[in-house]
Amino acid sequence: RYPINELRSGIQGTVILRVLVDLDGKPTEVTVESSSGNRNLDRAALQHVLKTWRFKPAMQNGQVVQAYGLVPIAFNLQ
């Protein structure tokens, strides 16, 4: 969800998150790898991914494993 103050101010940006995906596909650890330049956009992206996203877990030698991935989240006004 776009933070309301940033939306009203026309602030845009892309944050890249580093996400640790657990065996069940849930993100267990989310950190900002590259900031959007706006703390509120970064926080909104981080919280959204941690609370609502689910991933397909990584596989290694036929087994499900924990793995890190980079996820870009773009906040664009269009």
Side-chain angles (χ1 to χ4, degrees):
R1 184 174 277 191
Y2 219 114
I4 194 71
N5 289 335
E6 280 65 24
L7 183 62
R8 288 180 181 154
S9 299
I11 296 173
Q12 302 182 86
T14 299
V15 57
I16 298 176
L17 301 175
R18 185 171 190 252
V19 180
L20 177 61
V21 178
D22 205 358
L23 304 177
D24 61 1
K26 293 182 182 177
T28 59
E29 180 183 308
V30 182
T31 58
V32 175
E33 179 79 11
S34 176
S35 175
S36 66
N38 181 282
R39 186 181 323 191
N40 290 332
L41 293 181
D42 293 351
R43 186 180 312 121
L46 190 143
Q47 290 174 350
H48 181 71
V49 168
L50 191 57
K51 290 180 182 179
T52 64
W53 282 30
R54 296 297 174 260
F55 298 86
K56 183 176 179 180
M59 299 287 287
Q60 185 175 21
N61 298 324
Q63 299 290 323
V64 176
V65 295
Q66 283 188 334
Y68 283 97
L70 296 178
V71 178
I73 306 290
F75 290 91
N76 295 317
L77 299 170
Q78 292 183 357

